[in-house]
């Protein structure tokens, strides 16, 4: 077990079982032992790989979508080019490279990153240009036109998990059985936020709520509605939460989310319906599968141009990356894309109103 496990066990012994949401929040964000505060989790030496780490094509096309939105809105200057949860900075580095030839874009951009991990901030600083500003929360972003990307950010926010019981709900709690953490269900109670889900669920169905998702989304949406801009939100999930989606990975393999707090990445699928519900007064696009979004932006043409100068293993690697990003049986359908944009502007390229 881990040092963080000892802290959690002591808490449970003192006050009883804790909500799954609290377990996730502590496991991921504890200031000394939390998963994201103590390590670089990405790449072959880490626990998982994200789309920007798979291929430069992903970040290039995301960047060009943001640049087109910037041009559609009159090329505001200055503007905030922002990312939530920027990982190693790979995605933003690709965005900056792809948009360097867009006249005026780089000169007008002010780079802002929302990142709490000291380890990842250090890696981002190494990869990205000077003048970058870091923030702990989205509420700290400047009062400027905001062009933002959030790739695999919302899935890392802790969720509350509820199981339907008649006309009420039981909440998932984490308890301990000896040295092992186990999940229990609370006694049934009424949950006003889930009254509308009584129409489309049955006894035993599980629904997840991310408490911090609406507030973060609303902060972004208000800035975009008031000052202009666009947001691209890319994550795995679907329109409406249904089922137990809490999962964990360690060393690129699935593990029990309760087994090693602080040493495994714990995530849950994003409820894009909840995201859209918090988007006012900005507008939101239709939900698009990642593969469809990238194809609309021309990823196959880009891959063909890159392939022209390759052979052997390098060519095979490019083909595999294109397939992994776009194929329905890989990331192409599991990952979804939603855009936020101001009233009166067209939606970001690759997405539909």
């Amino acid at each position: 077990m881990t040092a963080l496990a000892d802290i959690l066990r002591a808490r449970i012994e003192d006050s009883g079982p804790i909500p799954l949401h609290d377990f996730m929040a502590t496991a991921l964000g504890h200031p000394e032992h939390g998963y994201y505060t103590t390590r670089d989790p990405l790449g072959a030496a880490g626990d998982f790989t994200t789309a920007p780490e798979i291929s430069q094509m992903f970040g290039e096309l995301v960047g060009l979508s943001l640049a087109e939105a910037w041009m559609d809105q009159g090329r505001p200057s200055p503007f905030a080019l922002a990312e939530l949860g920027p990982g190693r900075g790979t995605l933003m580095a690709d965005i900056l490279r792809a948009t360097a030839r867009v006249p005026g874009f780089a000169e007008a951009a002010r780079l802002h990153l929302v990142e709490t991990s000291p380890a990842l901030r250090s890696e981002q600083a190494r990869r990205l240009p000077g003048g970058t500003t870091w923030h702990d929360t989205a509420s700290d972003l400047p009062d400027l036109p905001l062009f933002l990307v959030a790739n695999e950010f919302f899935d890392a926010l802790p969720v509350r998990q509820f199981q339907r019981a008649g006309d009420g709900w039981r909440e998932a709690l984490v308890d301990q059985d000896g040295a092992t953490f186990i999940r229990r269900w609370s006694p049934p109670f009424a949950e006003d936020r889930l009254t509308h889900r009584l129409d489309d669920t049955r006894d035993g169905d599980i629904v997840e709520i991310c408490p911090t998702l609406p507030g973060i989304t609303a902060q972004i949406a208000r800035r975009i509605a008031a000052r202009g801009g666009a947001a691209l939100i890319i994550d795995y999930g679907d329109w409406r939460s249904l089922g137990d989606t809490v999962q964990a990975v360690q060393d690129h393999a699935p593990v029990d989310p309760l087994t090693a707090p602080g040493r495994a990445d714990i995530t849950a699928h994003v409820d894009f319906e909840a995201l859209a519900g918090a988007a006012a007064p900005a507008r939101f696009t239709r939900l698009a599968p990642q593969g469809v979004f990238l194809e609309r932006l021309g990823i196959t043409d880009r891959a063909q141009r890159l392939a022209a100068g390759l052979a052997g293993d390098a060519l095979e690697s490019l083909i595999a990356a294109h397939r992994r990003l776009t194929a329905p049986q890989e990331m192409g359908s599991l990952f979804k894309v939603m855009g936020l944009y101001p009233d009166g502007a067209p939606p970001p390229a690759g997405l539909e109103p």
Side-chain angles (χ1 to χ4, degrees):
M1 298 296 281
T2 65
L4 191 55
D6 293 337
I7 293 171
L8 287 162
R9 277 202 302 270
R11 182 177 169 189
I12 292 170
E13 289 172 0
D14 181 60
S15 57
I18 60 176
L20 176 63
H21 167 270
D22 289 349
F23 182 92
M24 288 180 64
T26 304
L28 296 174
H30 188 276
E32 293 182 45
H33 307 294
Y35 181 78
Y36 287 120
T37 56
T38 58
R39 70 197 65 219
D40 175 357
L42 295 163
D47 296 308
F48 59 91
T49 301
T50 60
E53 304 288 334
I54 293 170
S55 171
Q56 69 186 66
M57 296 184 292
F58 180 83
E60 290 171 348
L61 294 173
V62 166
L64 293 176
S65 177
L66 290 176
E68 185 167 329
W70 175 73
M71 291 186 288
D72 286 340
Q73 294 180 40
R75 303 172 182 258
S77 180
F79 72 91
L81 178 60
E83 185 175 357
L84 306 184
R88 289 175 168 174
T90 303
L91 173 56
M92 186 54 72
D94 290 340
I95 288 172
L96 293 174
R97 187 182 62 256
T99 56
R101 296 184 180 181
V102 178
F105 187 88
E107 293 77 10
R110 305 293 182 267
L111 190 54
H112 292 265
L113 305 178
V114 176
E115 178 62 71
T116 58
S117 166
L120 290 175
R121 281 193 182 192
S122 176
E123 184 64 18
Q124 293 153 17
R126 189 181 71 81
R127 291 172 180 247
L128 297 172
T132 301
T133 303
W134 281 267
H135 306 281
D136 290 331
T137 68
S139 62
D140 297 329
L141 290 169
D143 186 22
L144 292 171
L146 177 63
F147 293 83
L148 175 145
V149 60
N151 179 62
E152 291 198 56
F153 170 80
F154 285 97
D155 68 280
L157 301 179
V159 296
R160 296 180 67 185
Q161 197 175 74
F162 299 91
Q163 183 183 60
R164 182 168 174 182
D167 289 335
W169 301 87
R170 303 176 185 269
E171 183 165 7
L173 307 175
V174 177
D175 201 355
Q176 57 181 337
D177 183 6
T180 303
F181 291 111
I182 59 173
R183 199 173 331 194
R184 298 189 188 278
W185 295 100
S186 73
F189 63 96
E191 175 52 71
D192 291 343
R193 288 178 295 179
L194 290 175
T195 300
H196 67 290
R197 298 305 305 272
L198 295 176
D199 296 332
D200 70 337
T201 57
R202 299 176 297 177
D203 273 8
D205 282 350
I206 292 174
V207 172
E208 294 165 351
I209 292 177
C210 178
T212 55
L213 180 149
I216 295 171
T217 305
Q219 290 165 2
I220 297 166
R222 284 195 296 268
R223 281 172 165 76
I224 290 173
R227 299 299 305 271
L232 295 174
I233 299 167
I234 307 163
D235 228 313
Y236 54 90
D238 218 326
W239 179 248
R240 176 173 290 185
S241 168
L242 184 62
D244 177 3
T245 74
V246 174
Q247 58 192 345
V249 294
Q250 188 175 20
D251 296 328
H252 297 270
V255 297
D256 186 323
L258 306 184
T259 297
R263 293 185 180 172
D265 181 41
I266 309 175
T267 61
H269 286 205
V270 174
D271 182 345
F272 281 92
E273 182 183 41
L275 217 156
R283 299 176 65 85
F284 62 90
T285 68
R286 298 182 190 181
L287 199 58
Q290 177 177 288
V292 171
F293 171 71
L294 293 175
E295 290 293 357
R296 287 172 178 165
L297 293 173
I299 191 172
T300 296
D301 288 343
R302 176 59 174 151
Q304 289 170 346
R305 289 196 299 271
L306 290 172
L310 301 178
D313 290 344
L315 179 58
E316 290 300 319
S317 179
L318 175 67
I319 293 170
H322 177 273
R323 182 173 61 247
R324 188 170 178 188
L325 290 172
T326 62
Q329 65 271 25
E330 299 211 29
M331 298 175 74
S333 291
L334 176 63
F335 281 73
K336 308 295 194 303
V337 186
M338 178 179 283
L340 306 182
Y341 61 106
D343 192 32
L351 298 170
E352 298 178 333

